[in-house]
């Protein structure tokens, strides 16, 4: 039977996260928006300890989060990605930029999880339980291409003896500074081992903090999610051990193996971007309704649509958009937990949530007029934070293309 009830274990996580969001994120939200490159260490250290105390040290789903599996452990259906979606929503309700500073396994961990061997997952994903907070990042985008990645990858990885030598430049790397400079973290860099092989030659490599030849060269000033660092990384004869290539080094031109690794990473991460969008949208909608109530406008939910005011209809419309987006996210993460292919659902959830969050935050700002624009409230910030959900990890246009290809059963060459 289908159940839409939140499982008890997730409810406990959400309650804790809600307390963190209310007490540790909202009060400093404006500060870290205005002091863009300041690192929110209080939030980082607190969440690191809290996650360790909860037994994981990471939000990143993995078989045991890098711990060896107990042979007699009972087999229960996994809730890892569902838990992650609820956590992303609540923490982004607190502050989407600060959420991206959670030292708990983000896009880099998702790439390791999607493409690494069991030994590599153990090696790279167990570090979150250490004494110090650790960050990870994933570097795919380059100066000449974003949507066209990974097939347009120019960064190279050449094998020399028992090492890979990486050369190239990556831009717009979320949490790249925290992963490489501020913690003993790592960045998963996508590079080609065979430029003639197209996307099949593109492989993920783990570059650890402190590796000579890997440097952070630029930190972006952004429209929104300003608490989160976004950097450029230059790789100059950067040598990593042979077994830091995630998965196989073999280039299989027929199967486009490298591309599949990137897609598997995004199938896991896109619903979580959508969940983050849900959190921002809920924050905006709640504040809008609160302000309307204070102004004496009560939404009469029970009325037929024809008897509602235009304002009431708009608010109800926003609620519908928010809730239907949630259902798409839940389906996409449930499929991840069930190990079912969710490429269509992942992109669909992100398209819908990306549109929804921009629409809701923008209308909320418009409806509240001066209060919406004012820095006294966080609404104008949420409008700025909203847009990224429609940009990174595949723009709205690119995810629409993926949805269309999946529904029509067209290949990339037939529909691009
Ligand atoms: C704050 C931020 C954080 C980021 N974090 C990361 C990160 O951690 N790691 C990483 O690797 N990258 C990251 N990115 C990069 C992001 O994923 C890319 O910006 C995104 O993929 C788009 O690529 P582009 O900017 O090169 O745009 P382009 O690919 O040049 O696209 C420009 C416009 O054309 C549209 N377009 C392109 N192709 C088509 C098509 N076939 N049909 C219709 N429309 C099309 C796009 O939708 C877009 O609107 C980040 C970006 C930002 C802004």
């Amino acid at each position: 039977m289908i159940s839409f009830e939140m499982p008890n274990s997730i409810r406990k996580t959400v309650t804790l996260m809600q307390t963190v969001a209310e007490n540790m994120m909202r009060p400093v939200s404006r500060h870290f928006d205005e002091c863009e490159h300041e690192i929110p260490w209080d939030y980082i250290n607190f969440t690191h300890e809290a996650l360790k105390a909860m037994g994981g040290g990471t939000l990143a789903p993995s078989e045991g989060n890098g711990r060896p599996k107990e042979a007699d452990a009972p087999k229960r259906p996994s809730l890892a990605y569902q838990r992650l979606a609820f956590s992303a929503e609540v923490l982004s309700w607190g502050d989407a930029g600060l959420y991206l500073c959670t030292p708990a396994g983000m896009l880099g961990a998702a790439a390791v999880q999607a493409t690494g061997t069991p030994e590599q997952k153990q090696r790279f994903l167990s570090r979150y339980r250490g004494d110090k907070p650790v960050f990870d990042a994933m570097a795919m985008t380059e100066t000449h291409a974003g949507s066209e990645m990974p097939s347009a990858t120019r960064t190279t990885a050449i094998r020399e003896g028992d090492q890979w030598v990486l050369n190239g430049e990556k831009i717009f790397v979320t949490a790249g500074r925290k992963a490489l400079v501020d913690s003993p973290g790592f960045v998963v860099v996508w590079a080609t081992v065979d430029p003639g092989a197209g996307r099949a030659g593109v492989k993920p490599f783990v570059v650890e903090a402190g590796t000579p030849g890997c440097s952070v060269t630029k930190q972006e000033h952004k429209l929104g999610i300003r608490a989160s660092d976004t950097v450029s990384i230059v790789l100059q004869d950067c040598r990593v051990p042979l077994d830091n290539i995630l998965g196989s080094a073999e280039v299989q031109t027929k199967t486009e193996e490298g591309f599949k690794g990137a897609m598997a990473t995004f199938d896991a991460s896109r619903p979580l971007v959508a969940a983050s969008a849900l959190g921002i949208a809920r924050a905006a909608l709640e504040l809008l309704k609160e302000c309307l109530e204070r102004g004496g406008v009560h939404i009469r939910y029970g009325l037929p649509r024809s008897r509602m005011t235009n304002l009431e209809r708009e608010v109800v419309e926003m609620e519908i958009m928010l809730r239907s987006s949630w259902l798409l996210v839940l389906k996409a993460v449930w499929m991840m937990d069930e190990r079912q292919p969710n490429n269509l659902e992942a992109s669909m959830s992100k398209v819908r949530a990306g549109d929804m969050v921009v629409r809701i935050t923008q209308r909320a700002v418009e409806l509240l007029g001066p209060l919406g624009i004012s820095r006294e409230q966080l609404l104008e910030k949420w409008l700025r934070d909203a847009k990224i959900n429609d940009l990174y990890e595949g723009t709205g246009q690119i995810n629409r293309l993926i949805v269309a290809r999946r529904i029509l059963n067209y290949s990339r060459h037939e529909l691009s």
Side-chain angles (χ1 to χ4, degrees):
M1 196 175 72
I2 295 173
S3 166
F4 290 98
E5 286 294 312
M6 188 191 290
N8 257 341
S9 69
I10 294 187
R11 193 179 301 282
K12 280 185 200 151
T13 308
V14 168
T15 306
L16 176 76
M17 299 288 173
Q18 185 68 34
T19 311
V20 172
E22 277 168 24
N23 299 302
M24 297 216 66
M25 301 175 100
R26 283 288 178 92
V28 296
S29 199
R30 177 63 71 191
H31 174 83
F32 286 101
D33 180 50
E34 287 181 353
C35 304
E36 190 171 6
H37 294 156
E38 200 178 307
I39 300 175
W41 283 115
D42 285 350
Y43 169 74
I44 290 169
N45 290 326
F46 179 85
T47 43
H48 175 62
E49 291 305 324
L51 288 166
K52 268 199 321 183
M54 282 163 66
T58 170
L59 290 171
S62 77
E63 285 88 330
N65 288 337
R67 275 172 298 196
K69 219 176 186 175
E70 287 164 35
D72 56 354
K75 244 191 159 183
R76 292 195 205 97
S78 170
L79 296 173
Y81 282 96
Q82 291 166 72
R83 185 187 313 281
L84 204 48
F86 279 102
S87 302
E89 195 270 353
V90 175
L91 293 178
S92 299
W93 175 93
D95 185 288
L98 288 169
Y99 153 66
L100 292 168
C101 299
T102 311
M106 291 280 180
L107 204 48
V112 172
Q113 181 61 24
T115 59
T117 62
E119 182 277 323
Q120 287 172 325
K121 289 178 196 176
Q122 165 73 23
R123 184 150 56 103
F124 297 119
L125 300 180
S126 57
R127 65 186 60 193
Y128 302 98
R129 297 197 313 276
D131 288 342
K132 294 233 164 357
V134 169
F135 294 89
D136 59 82
M138 188 179 88
M140 185 178 280
T141 307
E142 299 188 4
T143 49
H144 64 288
S147 304
E148 277 301 300
M149 300 304 268
S151 49
T153 303
R154 286 185 189 155
T155 298
T156 55
I158 308 292
R159 186 175 168 172
E160 276 185 21
D162 57 359
Q163 290 178 324
W164 291 101
V165 186
L166 273 66
N167 278 289
E169 182 179 7
K170 296 289 180 181
I171 59 168
F172 285 106
V173 183
T174 298
R177 182 190 139 174
K178 283 196 283 297
L180 291 174
V181 180
D182 303 315
S183 79
F186 65 88
V187 176
V188 173
V189 173
W190 292 81
T192 178
V193 295
D194 180 355
R199 53 179 59 200
V202 180
K203 305 279 180 182
F205 296 83
V206 174
V207 179
E208 306 236 21
T211 307
C214 174
S215 47
V216 171
T217 51
K218 181 187 173 195
Q219 201 163 336
E220 299 293 337
H221 289 278
K222 305 193 299 288
L223 171 77
I225 55 162
R226 286 153 62 94
S228 157
D229 71 272
T230 310
V231 301
S232 298
I233 293 173
V234 167
L235 301 142
Q236 212 164 17
D237 292 330
C238 173
R239 292 171 182 274
V240 300
L242 211 53
D243 57 1
N244 275 28
I245 186 170
L246 293 171
S248 161
E250 200 184 329
V251 176
Q252 296 175 315
T253 37
K254 289 221 169 70
T255 61
E256 297 194 331
E257 210 51 53
F259 184 63
K260 276 192 190 160
M263 283 301 104
T265 305
F266 289 134
D267 290 346
S269 64
R270 280 175 180 154
L272 303 177
V273 174
S276 176
L278 289 166
I280 302 171
R282 179 164 68 90
L285 188 50
E286 281 176 7
L287 182 62
L288 170 66
K289 290 199 295 188
E290 227 176 86
C291 293
L292 290 176
E293 288 270 333
R294 260 187 268 135
V297 180
H298 309 286
I299 310 298
R300 295 166 301 166
Y301 286 98
L303 276 191
R305 209 178 148 76
S306 58
R307 289 184 46 211
M308 283 180 165
T309 62
N310 210 19
L311 181 59
E312 284 172 327
R313 274 200 293 269
E314 268 215 65
V315 172
V316 169
E317 198 59 44
M318 288 183 194
E319 307 246 18
I320 293 169
M321 285 196 292
L322 184 61
R323 288 171 195 217
S324 57
S325 296
W326 242 128
L327 292 178
L328 286 174
V329 171
L330 285 179
K331 172 122 194 240
V333 286
W334 174 80
M335 291 176 84
M336 279 300 297
D337 282 334
E338 294 289 313
R339 295 173 188 251
Q340 292 181 21
N342 72 336
N343 186 246
L344 167 67
E345 289 74 11
S347 285
M348 217 185 247
S349 67
K350 188 168 176 300
V351 166
R352 176 74 180 173
D355 281 354
M356 175 276 305
V357 70
V358 172
R359 173 94 185 276
I360 287 182
T361 51
Q362 188 172 319
R363 276 310 280 151
V365 164
E366 288 163 3
L367 289 168
L368 290 183
L371 201 56
I373 295 292
S374 163
R375 288 191 165 230
E376 271 174 38
Q377 297 287 348
L378 288 166
L379 203 49
E380 62 79 31
K381 175 186 178 300
W382 295 331
L383 172 57
R384 289 186 282 111
D385 287 346
K387 188 59 199 168
I388 192 61
N389 297 286
D390 193 35
L391 283 176
Y392 60 9
E393 299 188 37
T395 62
Q397 289 81 10
I398 294 302
N399 277 295
R400 276 179 175 80
L401 264 181
I402 294 170
V403 169
R405 280 182 205 138
R406 287 283 166 268
I407 289 175
L408 301 169
N409 205 16
Y410 281 179
S411 71
R412 201 169 46 84
H413 304 290
E414 289 168 313
L415 188 61
S416 60

